[in-house]
Structure formats: C-alpha cells, structure tokens
Amino acid sequence: LLSAVTGLNVMSDPCSFSSFTRCVTKHLNLHLHLDFDRHVIRGRVALTVEALEDRFSTLTLDSSDLSVVSVTANGQPARFSLGPKHSFKGTPLEITLPFDLSRGQHVIVEVTYETSPSATALQWLTPEQTAGKKHPYLFSQCQAHHCRSMIPCQDTPSIKHTYYAQVSVPKDLVAVMSAVRDGQEVDPQDSGRIIYRFRQTVPMPSYLIAIVAGALESREIGPRTRVWSEKEFVDKAAFEFSETEAMLKTAEELAGPYVWGQYDVLVLPPSFPYGGMENPCLTFATPTVLVIAHEISHSWTGNLVTNKTWEHFWLNEGHTVYLERMIGRCLESEQFRQFKAIGGWKDLQDSVNTFGANNPLTNLVPSLQDVSPDDAFSSVPYEKGFALLYYLEEQLGGPEVFMGFVKSYIQRFAYSSVTTEEWKNYLFAYFKDKVDILNKVDWNAWMFTPGMPPVKPQYDTTMADACNALSQKWLQAKDQDLNSFKRSDVKTLSSHQVIEFLSLLLQEDPLPLTHVKKMQEIYDLNAYMNAEIRFRWLRLCVRSRWEEAVPLALKMATDQGRMKFTRPLFREVFNFEKFRDEALRVFLAHRAGMHPVTSGLVSKDLKVDVSNAASQ
C-alpha cells in the first residue's frame, strides 16, 4: 500500500541522469594527475559497466563542468555528446557504444577528461591557507552529488562499486584516498612527481570517493588506525583521537564486524568549514571535532547500508545518530544517551523553525524532484530520524530489543542500497509478533508530514536538570549572592553539561559584567580548551561587554574556520559597538587565508562591501 500511495518504489534517482535500471557500474579504475598550478585534475577513468537489458548500446553518465577529451569502449573509439546543463544535476554525458551488449555482459568504458578549476567537489588551498604555509593542499567533498565534477560516473547512491586509483602529485606532497593504500613509485612521466596507489575492495557509492593531497604526516594510534594531518597538528590529533579503537570495538559489538580494514582519521586544515565526513577507511575531521562516534557509526549505517536516493537520507543519518548514541550509552551511561537526545530534539526544533513548520523539506522523507540535496540538508534527517527510532524502541521493548533489530537490518542489507519502504517492510517482518503495535504508529505523520514529529518521546532529564538549575541560579543571582558559587558547581558536570549550561545562559539576556567576571574567577572557564565550551564562553563574555574577551574571541574566530564557530564569534564582536572596527580589521587581515565559503558569509555578516574591501 505504502508504495502505491507515495511512489516510493524507486525506479530512478531524481538527482542523477544515469539510469540504474539499464546498467550498473561494478568497478572504477582511476588515473588522476593533480595540477596545483591550474587547479585542475587531468583524469582517465575506466568504468566496468554491466548491461541489465539486451541490445544495450547507449549509456548516460553524470558529469559537471568536465572537459571530456575522448571515450572508448573495450578500447574502440565511442561516440559521445554532452547534453544541456541542468541547474544542479550538471550535464549528462551520452555515450554510444560501437557494439551491442546482451543482459549480463560487461564493457569497459574509458573516459579521458579534465576537471574545472571551479569543480564543486574540490577545494584547492593556497599555502597560506594551511598550517605549514609552504605547500598547497587539495581535498574533496563529494556528498551528496558532487563526485560528477571530479569523475564522470553513475553518480547515485543506488549503485555501489569497488575502485582502484593511481594519483600523481608533486614529490613533496602525499596523497590519501577513501581506500587502502597500495604502495607508491616515482612517476615514470615526471621524476619530480610521485604516484600513490589505492584500492577499495568493498563496493561503495560514488559519493564516498575522496581524495586529499598535501604535506601530510601520519601517526599510528591503534591496530587499524593512523591519524593523518600536517605535521603541525599530527601529535595533537594523535592524542585527541586516541579513543578511536575503543569506539570501533564498541560499535562492532553493537552492529557487527567492521568490514573496511583500515580506519584512519584525516585532520583537515583549520580552514575546513564543516565538521566531518565518513569517507571509508579515511574519516575526514576538523581540528575542533573531538568525538568521532558519529563518523565511526557511518561505517555500518550509510557506508555499508546506504540510502538508495537522497530522499531516503534519514536511513543514513537517523540510524547513524541512533548508533552513535548507543556507543555513548555503552561508553558513558544511559543517562548520557538521554541527555544527548534532549539536545538533538532542540536542534530539530531549530531546523523546523528555520525552514518553517509547513516546509515539505522538514518531512522525514521529502520529495527532491527539482530540489538540490544541498538545499535540503539540515538536522531533520538526523534528529527526526533518531526520534522515530527512539519512539519505536520505546514501543517495542527497549534499547536491547531494538538494537537487535538495527543489527539485523544492517546484516540483511549490507553492501546494498535501500528505501524507506524496504526498511519498513523489514521492521514489520522482524517484529512479526508485534504488528499490532506497529499498526498503531502514525506512519504518515512521521514520514510525509512537515514540522515536528507527532509524538515527543519522554526523555530522562537527570543530566539536563543540573544544567538548568545552575544556569537559573546565575540568572537570578544578585551581586550579594555571588559568593555562594563554588568551583565544584562545574567540576561535578561533564564537558557536555558545561556546554549545555552555557547554551542556556546564551538563550537569555546578557548577564551583568560583574557576574561574568565572578564566573571566570571561580570556574576559570578561560582555561577550557574544548572548542564547544570555549566558543560559548567567549560569546557570553563579549555579550556582557567584557573587553578583555574580545581579542580571545577574535583569535578563536581566525585560528580555525569552522563556520559553526567563526561566524557567531565575528558577529558578537561586531555587535559590541566599541570593537566593531576591530572586528572588520581582523577579518580583512585574515580573509585571504579563509575558505571562500566562510569569508563570503562573514563578509555578509559584517556588512563588508566586497569591492571596497579589496582596495583597503
């Protein structure tokens, strides 16, 4: 019934030109030459394609801003043409084979091409945007639909393939990919370059192909983990991610064996504007991300079992948040899991408020016909997805019972791509003795209705209560009450609770300056190096007009470039009239080293006239 009503029996991907009913890619063989002077990749990709129908002779690949030089099929020249450019899907690459295939036959289609300097998947950093300041740096970010700007391919998560790659880079740089390393050699074409080789033997979707090249070093931090970064960060990163193996083991106990072999972590330059990306064998993280339980969890939900199209993104993210919080439950406590769930519900409320409660993009399963997945991105698939899974857990018998289902679902659909309907059918089959409970769930409200979920789960507020009580005490305190606060107020809280305590204070009118100074005197919050705590504390200080905090806030805004931190810190200082010019001066001085997405948005926040600023 579900599919008839909602059209969820997926026959095509609204975000891709390639058809997965006519043919599927089984393997990619990549030769990439990185040109740091021109900011392009010269590439050759051989796709092993299996025909799914008889008399098969034409196929369509996704591409975006690629210049295609030539195409061959089994070594013979093949005719090709590029169709009209679509606003976000790019350009279809239509290929006519010089022969017919029958169903089940394979053909090797080889495309020689070059990327554009403005390829959306690629970020080329100048030496001054790196920690070392000497060498350039390249990283890719393909999710959701940007792989096609780096490689012509069937760029849809419904198709999984293995890959092999050879990457040529200048000899003072190191390349790493979302794959297992397979040796290196001097480039026979150019003795000033090195070719690095990679192999990915687990089938995976195109959006998980990732590449980085820079002056990288690595440290071993576990039996299957190295941490990679520029040398300025590598020891700090090795320390910060030392919990990785314990988290991997916990995740394996919950979800089944880790199948990707290596689990490396790459710490990107501080100018990277986002948090992390779960590229297989090589999670991308920023210097400010401490907990990678989320990215680790993706090794099962997302990378092993994948959403068939981006409309089903909640299957990736809702299950990953559920698994991430289960890891937290095992390593910390059930109360900790509940506390994180309360925070997640707040994030969902924020997203729904931003989009508007009637916006169809707040559906758990939105329609993405003519909508770019980038525009649909928010915490809805993460937190509405988690809320549904937690609600089902409550209805069906608790965490152990429901985690049993999640593990079984992962094993059943491993190495494949799934839709919401397939997930739901499996849920009903697994809980066949509890179908009466499942039939009482308002599936339409949960999945196809915008706004907040139809039911708010009852979370345990124990850990949140302590944060609420302490923040209320500060908000209500008169000057004569300030001596009643003690160092132990925050010493008994976890770092997660300190973050929540400060968040609650930021939701209210600014505290009197006397209070904030007293808070520093007793709690010494300036000494906290946790980025989430420091970010909130410095905003609180600037808001209360504490002048000594201004240079600290501007330093944090420019020492790293994660938009989540940098934009609000600049805005707070800008709103402190006396230091408005200082905020502008610091921004203009650092602008060249910032990621262009970040500097563009900070320019808007600080109302900088871009043409005017360039002349200063």
Side-chain angles (χ1 to χ4, degrees), residues 306-329:
T306 306
N307 47 229
K308 193 168 271 188
T309 73
W310 297 111
E311 296 165 308
H312 303 277
F313 187 46
W314 84 271
L315 292 173
N316 278 20
E317 296 301 348
H319 287 86
T320 296
V321 173
Y322 186 82
L323 190 48
E324 168 194 3
R325 289 183 184 150
M326 274 298 183
I327 294 173
R329 177 178 191 259

PDB file of all heavy atoms in Angstrom, residues 306-329:
ATOM      1  N   THR A 306      23.153   1.763   2.554  1.00  0.00           N
ATOM      2  CA  THR A 306      23.143   3.131   2.022  1.00  0.00           C
ATOM      3  C   THR A 306      21.743   3.522   1.555  1.00  0.00           C
ATOM      4  O   THR A 306      21.006   2.681   1.037  1.00  0.00           O
ATOM      5  CB  THR A 306      24.125   3.204   0.819  1.00  0.00           C
ATOM      6  OG1 THR A 306      25.405   2.736   1.237  1.00  0.00           O
ATOM      7  CG2 THR A 306      24.249   4.619   0.281  1.00  0.00           C
ATOM      8  N   ASN A 307      21.386   4.803   1.727  1.00  0.00           N
ATOM      9  CA  ASN A 307      20.111   5.283   1.163  1.00  0.00           C
ATOM     10  C   ASN A 307      20.134   5.149  -0.365  1.00  0.00           C
ATOM     11  O   ASN A 307      21.130   5.460  -1.006  1.00  0.00           O
ATOM     12  CB  ASN A 307      19.799   6.726   1.575  1.00  0.00           C
ATOM     13  CG  ASN A 307      20.929   7.734   1.434  1.00  0.00           C
ATOM     14  OD1 ASN A 307      21.213   8.482   2.361  1.00  0.00           O
ATOM     15  ND2 ASN A 307      21.583   7.792   0.283  1.00  0.00           N
ATOM     16  N   LYS A 308      19.026   4.659  -0.948  1.00  0.00           N
ATOM     17  CA  LYS A 308      19.004   4.425  -2.398  1.00  0.00           C
ATOM     18  C   LYS A 308      18.981   5.744  -3.176  1.00  0.00           C
ATOM     19  O   LYS A 308      19.572   5.851  -4.249  1.00  0.00           O
ATOM     20  CB  LYS A 308      17.801   3.552  -2.799  1.00  0.00           C
ATOM     21  CG  LYS A 308      17.913   3.014  -4.221  1.00  0.00           C
ATOM     22  CD  LYS A 308      16.899   1.920  -4.532  1.00  0.00           C
ATOM     23  CE  LYS A 308      17.418   0.543  -4.195  1.00  0.00           C
ATOM     24  NZ  LYS A 308      16.521  -0.541  -4.663  1.00  0.00           N
ATOM     25  N   THR A 309      18.277   6.747  -2.640  1.00  0.00           N
ATOM     26  CA  THR A 309      18.354   8.109  -3.199  1.00  0.00           C
ATOM     27  C   THR A 309      18.411   9.057  -2.002  1.00  0.00           C
ATOM     28  O   THR A 309      18.171   8.656  -0.861  1.00  0.00           O
ATOM     29  CB  THR A 309      17.124   8.470  -4.065  1.00  0.00           C
ATOM     30  OG1 THR A 309      16.006   8.693  -3.193  1.00  0.00           O
ATOM     31  CG2 THR A 309      16.787   7.378  -5.080  1.00  0.00           C
ATOM     32  N   TRP A 310      18.694  10.336  -2.284  1.00  0.00           N
ATOM     33  CA  TRP A 310      18.853  11.311  -1.182  1.00  0.00           C
ATOM     34  C   TRP A 310      17.531  11.614  -0.487  1.00  0.00           C
ATOM     35  O   TRP A 310      17.520  12.209   0.588  1.00  0.00           O
ATOM     36  CB  TRP A 310      19.556  12.575  -1.685  1.00  0.00           C
ATOM     37  CG  TRP A 310      20.929  12.234  -2.160  1.00  0.00           C
ATOM     38  CD1 TRP A 310      21.390  12.241  -3.437  1.00  0.00           C
ATOM     39  CD2 TRP A 310      22.006  11.722  -1.352  1.00  0.00           C
ATOM     40  NE1 TRP A 310      22.686  11.794  -3.480  1.00  0.00           N
ATOM     41  CE2 TRP A 310      23.087  11.467  -2.219  1.00  0.00           C
ATOM     42  CE3 TRP A 310      22.157  11.465   0.016  1.00  0.00           C
ATOM     43  CZ2 TRP A 310      24.308  10.965  -1.757  1.00  0.00           C
ATOM     44  CZ3 TRP A 310      23.366  10.963   0.476  1.00  0.00           C
ATOM     45  CH2 TRP A 310      24.429  10.724  -0.408  1.00  0.00           C
ATOM     46  N   GLU A 311      16.414  11.207  -1.084  1.00  0.00           N
ATOM     47  CA  GLU A 311      15.127  11.373  -0.409  1.00  0.00           C
ATOM     48  C   GLU A 311      15.040  10.486   0.836  1.00  0.00           C
ATOM     49  O   GLU A 311      14.275  10.757   1.751  1.00  0.00           O
ATOM     50  CB  GLU A 311      13.992  11.031  -1.380  1.00  0.00           C
ATOM     51  CG  GLU A 311      13.978  12.003  -2.547  1.00  0.00           C
ATOM     52  CD  GLU A 311      13.143  11.531  -3.732  1.00  0.00           C
ATOM     53  OE1 GLU A 311      13.340  10.402  -4.201  1.00  0.00           O
ATOM     54  OE2 GLU A 311      12.306  12.315  -4.176  1.00  0.00           O
ATOM     55  N   HIS A 312      15.861   9.430   0.852  1.00  0.00           N
ATOM     56  CA  HIS A 312      15.861   8.483   1.974  1.00  0.00           C
ATOM     57  C   HIS A 312      17.075   8.688   2.875  1.00  0.00           C
ATOM     58  O   HIS A 312      17.505   7.773   3.585  1.00  0.00           O
ATOM     59  CB  HIS A 312      15.807   7.048   1.433  1.00  0.00           C
ATOM     60  CG  HIS A 312      14.619   6.815   0.546  1.00  0.00           C
ATOM     61  ND1 HIS A 312      13.367   6.506   1.034  1.00  0.00           N
ATOM     62  CD2 HIS A 312      14.473   6.923  -0.797  1.00  0.00           C
ATOM     63  CE1 HIS A 312      12.514   6.398   0.025  1.00  0.00           C
ATOM     64  NE2 HIS A 312      13.164   6.657  -1.094  1.00  0.00           N
ATOM     65  N   PHE A 313      17.603   9.924   2.867  1.00  0.00           N
ATOM     66  CA  PHE A 313      18.814  10.265   3.618  1.00  0.00           C
ATOM     67  C   PHE A 313      18.665   9.949   5.113  1.00  0.00           C
ATOM     68  O   PHE A 313      19.643   9.653   5.794  1.00  0.00           O
ATOM     69  CB  PHE A 313      19.087  11.757   3.395  1.00  0.00           C
ATOM     70  CG  PHE A 313      20.391  12.284   3.946  1.00  0.00           C
ATOM     71  CD1 PHE A 313      21.588  11.607   3.765  1.00  0.00           C
ATOM     72  CD2 PHE A 313      20.420  13.501   4.626  1.00  0.00           C
ATOM     73  CE1 PHE A 313      22.791  12.126   4.253  1.00  0.00           C
ATOM     74  CE2 PHE A 313      21.615  14.025   5.118  1.00  0.00           C
ATOM     75  CZ  PHE A 313      22.799  13.334   4.933  1.00  0.00           C
ATOM     76  N   TRP A 314      17.439   9.984   5.619  1.00  0.00           N
ATOM     77  CA  TRP A 314      17.237   9.698   7.042  1.00  0.00           C
ATOM     78  C   TRP A 314      17.667   8.269   7.390  1.00  0.00           C
ATOM     79  O   TRP A 314      18.064   8.011   8.541  1.00  0.00           O
ATOM     80  CB  TRP A 314      15.773   9.944   7.448  1.00  0.00           C
ATOM     81  CG  TRP A 314      14.849   8.785   7.187  1.00  0.00           C
ATOM     82  CD1 TRP A 314      14.156   8.532   6.048  1.00  0.00           C
ATOM     83  CD2 TRP A 314      14.531   7.724   8.098  1.00  0.00           C
ATOM     84  NE1 TRP A 314      13.422   7.368   6.180  1.00  0.00           N
ATOM     85  CE2 TRP A 314      13.632   6.863   7.435  1.00  0.00           C
ATOM     86  CE3 TRP A 314      14.904   7.427   9.415  1.00  0.00           C
ATOM     87  CZ2 TRP A 314      13.107   5.709   8.041  1.00  0.00           C
ATOM     88  CZ3 TRP A 314      14.391   6.281  10.019  1.00  0.00           C
ATOM     89  CH2 TRP A 314      13.498   5.436   9.325  1.00  0.00           C
ATOM     90  N   LEU A 315      17.618   7.350   6.416  1.00  0.00           N
ATOM     91  CA  LEU A 315      18.077   5.988   6.693  1.00  0.00           C
ATOM     92  C   LEU A 315      19.570   6.001   7.024  1.00  0.00           C
ATOM     93  O   LEU A 315      20.021   5.247   7.885  1.00  0.00           O
ATOM     94  CB  LEU A 315      17.817   5.064   5.491  1.00  0.00           C
ATOM     95  CG  LEU A 315      16.352   4.746   5.173  1.00  0.00           C
ATOM     96  CD1 LEU A 315      16.259   3.960   3.869  1.00  0.00           C
ATOM     97  CD2 LEU A 315      15.693   3.957   6.317  1.00  0.00           C
ATOM     98  N   ASN A 316      20.342   6.855   6.333  1.00  0.00           N
ATOM     99  CA  ASN A 316      21.756   7.031   6.695  1.00  0.00           C
ATOM    100  C   ASN A 316      21.886   7.703   8.057  1.00  0.00           C
ATOM    101  O   ASN A 316      22.555   7.185   8.954  1.00  0.00           O
ATOM    102  CB  ASN A 316      22.475   7.928   5.669  1.00  0.00           C
ATOM    103  CG  ASN A 316      22.919   7.197   4.410  1.00  0.00           C
ATOM    104  OD1 ASN A 316      22.406   6.132   4.086  1.00  0.00           O
ATOM    105  ND2 ASN A 316      23.859   7.793   3.692  1.00  0.00           N
ATOM    106  N   GLU A 317      21.279   8.891   8.178  1.00  0.00           N
ATOM    107  CA  GLU A 317      21.603   9.746   9.320  1.00  0.00           C
ATOM    108  C   GLU A 317      20.846   9.413  10.599  1.00  0.00           C
ATOM    109  O   GLU A 317      21.404   9.471  11.685  1.00  0.00           O
ATOM    110  CB  GLU A 317      21.414  11.223   8.947  1.00  0.00           C
ATOM    111  CG  GLU A 317      22.370  11.695   7.851  1.00  0.00           C
ATOM    112  CD  GLU A 317      23.855  11.547   8.207  1.00  0.00           C
ATOM    113  OE1 GLU A 317      24.177  11.294   9.383  1.00  0.00           O
ATOM    114  OE2 GLU A 317      24.688  11.670   7.296  1.00  0.00           O
ATOM    115  N   GLY A 318      19.562   9.055  10.490  1.00  0.00           N
ATOM    116  CA  GLY A 318      18.799   8.697  11.697  1.00  0.00           C
ATOM    117  C   GLY A 318      19.406   7.474  12.379  1.00  0.00           C
ATOM    118  O   GLY A 318      19.598   7.455  13.601  1.00  0.00           O
ATOM    119  N   HIS A 319      19.730   6.435  11.578  1.00  0.00           N
ATOM    120  CA  HIS A 319      20.327   5.230  12.157  1.00  0.00           C
ATOM    121  C   HIS A 319      21.727   5.505  12.691  1.00  0.00           C
ATOM    122  O   HIS A 319      22.149   4.916  13.686  1.00  0.00           O
ATOM    123  CB  HIS A 319      20.379   4.094  11.124  1.00  0.00           C
ATOM    124  CG  HIS A 319      19.034   3.490  10.842  1.00  0.00           C
ATOM    125  ND1 HIS A 319      18.171   4.003   9.898  1.00  0.00           N
ATOM    126  CD2 HIS A 319      18.400   2.416  11.394  1.00  0.00           C
ATOM    127  CE1 HIS A 319      17.064   3.267   9.886  1.00  0.00           C
ATOM    128  NE2 HIS A 319      17.170   2.307  10.779  1.00  0.00           N
ATOM    129  N   THR A 320      22.471   6.408  12.012  1.00  0.00           N
ATOM    130  CA  THR A 320      23.822   6.725  12.481  1.00  0.00           C
ATOM    131  C   THR A 320      23.776   7.453  13.819  1.00  0.00           C
ATOM    132  O   THR A 320      24.557   7.159  14.726  1.00  0.00           O
ATOM    133  CB  THR A 320      24.581   7.544  11.417  1.00  0.00           C
ATOM    134  OG1 THR A 320      24.741   6.722  10.260  1.00  0.00           O
ATOM    135  CG2 THR A 320      25.945   7.974  11.913  1.00  0.00           C
ATOM    136  N   VAL A 321      22.854   8.405  13.972  1.00  0.00           N
ATOM    137  CA  VAL A 321      22.714   9.089  15.259  1.00  0.00           C
ATOM    138  C   VAL A 321      22.279   8.079  16.337  1.00  0.00           C
ATOM    139  O   VAL A 321      22.779   8.096  17.462  1.00  0.00           O
ATOM    140  CB  VAL A 321      21.718  10.264  15.165  1.00  0.00           C
ATOM    141  CG1 VAL A 321      21.443  10.856  16.538  1.00  0.00           C
ATOM    142  CG2 VAL A 321      22.272  11.348  14.230  1.00  0.00           C
ATOM    143  N   TYR A 322      21.367   7.171  15.971  1.00  0.00           N
ATOM    144  CA  TYR A 322      20.921   6.142  16.925  1.00  0.00           C
ATOM    145  C   TYR A 322      22.104   5.285  17.388  1.00  0.00           C
ATOM    146  O   TYR A 322      22.289   5.038  18.591  1.00  0.00           O
ATOM    147  CB  TYR A 322      19.830   5.266  16.284  1.00  0.00           C
ATOM    148  CG  TYR A 322      19.216   4.270  17.249  1.00  0.00           C
ATOM    149  CD1 TYR A 322      18.211   4.666  18.117  1.00  0.00           C
ATOM    150  CD2 TYR A 322      19.659   2.952  17.298  1.00  0.00           C
ATOM    151  CE1 TYR A 322      17.649   3.764  19.028  1.00  0.00           C
ATOM    152  CE2 TYR A 322      19.114   2.042  18.208  1.00  0.00           C
ATOM    153  CZ  TYR A 322      18.116   2.457  19.064  1.00  0.00           C
ATOM    154  OH  TYR A 322      17.584   1.565  19.970  1.00  0.00           O
ATOM    155  N   LEU A 323      22.931   4.862  16.438  1.00  0.00           N
ATOM    156  CA  LEU A 323      24.094   4.029  16.765  1.00  0.00           C
ATOM    157  C   LEU A 323      25.140   4.825  17.545  1.00  0.00           C
ATOM    158  O   LEU A 323      25.709   4.332  18.530  1.00  0.00           O
ATOM    159  CB  LEU A 323      24.680   3.475  15.458  1.00  0.00           C
ATOM    160  CG  LEU A 323      25.763   2.402  15.507  1.00  0.00           C
ATOM    161  CD1 LEU A 323      25.397   1.261  16.444  1.00  0.00           C
ATOM    162  CD2 LEU A 323      26.007   1.856  14.093  1.00  0.00           C
ATOM    163  N   GLU A 324      25.374   6.068  17.133  1.00  0.00           N
ATOM    164  CA  GLU A 324      26.307   6.956  17.846  1.00  0.00           C
ATOM    165  C   GLU A 324      25.901   7.095  19.316  1.00  0.00           C
ATOM    166  O   GLU A 324      26.739   7.009  20.223  1.00  0.00           O
ATOM    167  CB  GLU A 324      26.277   8.328  17.155  1.00  0.00           C
ATOM    168  CG  GLU A 324      26.955   9.460  17.894  1.00  0.00           C
ATOM    169  CD  GLU A 324      26.596  10.837  17.341  1.00  0.00           C
ATOM    170  OE1 GLU A 324      25.771  10.953  16.404  1.00  0.00           O
ATOM    171  OE2 GLU A 324      27.151  11.812  17.855  1.00  0.00           O
ATOM    172  N   ARG A 325      24.602   7.286  19.560  1.00  0.00           N
ATOM    173  CA  ARG A 325      24.137   7.452  20.949  1.00  0.00           C
ATOM    174  C   ARG A 325      24.158   6.130  21.701  1.00  0.00           C
ATOM    175  O   ARG A 325      24.320   6.119  22.918  1.00  0.00           O
ATOM    176  CB  ARG A 325      22.754   8.126  20.968  1.00  0.00           C
ATOM    177  CG  ARG A 325      22.886   9.587  20.554  1.00  0.00           C
ATOM    178  CD  ARG A 325      21.622  10.431  20.580  1.00  0.00           C
ATOM    179  NE  ARG A 325      21.965  11.761  20.059  1.00  0.00           N
ATOM    180  CZ  ARG A 325      21.127  12.562  19.417  1.00  0.00           C
ATOM    181  NH1 ARG A 325      19.872  12.199  19.224  1.00  0.00           N
ATOM    182  NH2 ARG A 325      21.543  13.746  18.989  1.00  0.00           N
ATOM    183  N   MET A 326      24.026   5.006  20.990  1.00  0.00           N
ATOM    184  CA  MET A 326      24.190   3.691  21.625  1.00  0.00           C
ATOM    185  C   MET A 326      25.645   3.491  22.078  1.00  0.00           C
ATOM    186  O   MET A 326      25.888   2.922  23.148  1.00  0.00           O
ATOM    187  CB  MET A 326      23.817   2.569  20.659  1.00  0.00           C
ATOM    188  CG  MET A 326      22.350   2.242  20.662  1.00  0.00           C
ATOM    189  SD  MET A 326      21.856   1.667  22.292  1.00  0.00           S
ATOM    190  CE  MET A 326      20.166   1.286  21.956  1.00  0.00           C
ATOM    191  N   ILE A 327      26.589   3.956  21.239  1.00  0.00           N
ATOM    192  CA  ILE A 327      28.000   3.887  21.646  1.00  0.00           C
ATOM    193  C   ILE A 327      28.196   4.730  22.912  1.00  0.00           C
ATOM    194  O   ILE A 327      28.860   4.305  23.865  1.00  0.00           O
ATOM    195  CB  ILE A 327      28.929   4.380  20.506  1.00  0.00           C
ATOM    196  CG1 ILE A 327      28.853   3.413  19.311  1.00  0.00           C
ATOM    197  CG2 ILE A 327      30.374   4.508  20.990  1.00  0.00           C
ATOM    198  CD1 ILE A 327      29.599   3.906  18.064  1.00  0.00           C
ATOM    199  N   GLY A 328      27.582   5.914  22.938  1.00  0.00           N
ATOM    200  CA  GLY A 328      27.644   6.776  24.124  1.00  0.00           C
ATOM    201  C   GLY A 328      27.061   6.093  25.353  1.00  0.00           C
ATOM    202  O   GLY A 328      27.603   6.201  26.462  1.00  0.00           O
ATOM    203  N   ARG A 329      25.982   5.359  25.150  1.00  0.00           N
ATOM    204  CA  ARG A 329      25.348   4.611  26.250  1.00  0.00           C
ATOM    205  C   ARG A 329      26.311   3.565  26.804  1.00  0.00           C
ATOM    206  O   ARG A 329      26.439   3.391  28.015  1.00  0.00           O
ATOM    207  CB  ARG A 329      24.088   3.945  25.713  1.00  0.00           C
ATOM    208  CG  ARG A 329      23.351   3.064  26.703  1.00  0.00           C
ATOM    209  CD  ARG A 329      22.075   2.516  26.032  1.00  0.00           C
ATOM    210  NE  ARG A 329      21.213   1.877  27.019  1.00  0.00           N
ATOM    211  CZ  ARG A 329      21.126   0.561  27.190  1.00  0.00           C
ATOM    212  NH1 ARG A 329      21.859  -0.251  26.450  1.00  0.00           N
ATOM    213  NH2 ARG A 329      20.323   0.064  28.102  1.00  0.00           N
TER     214      ARG A 329
END
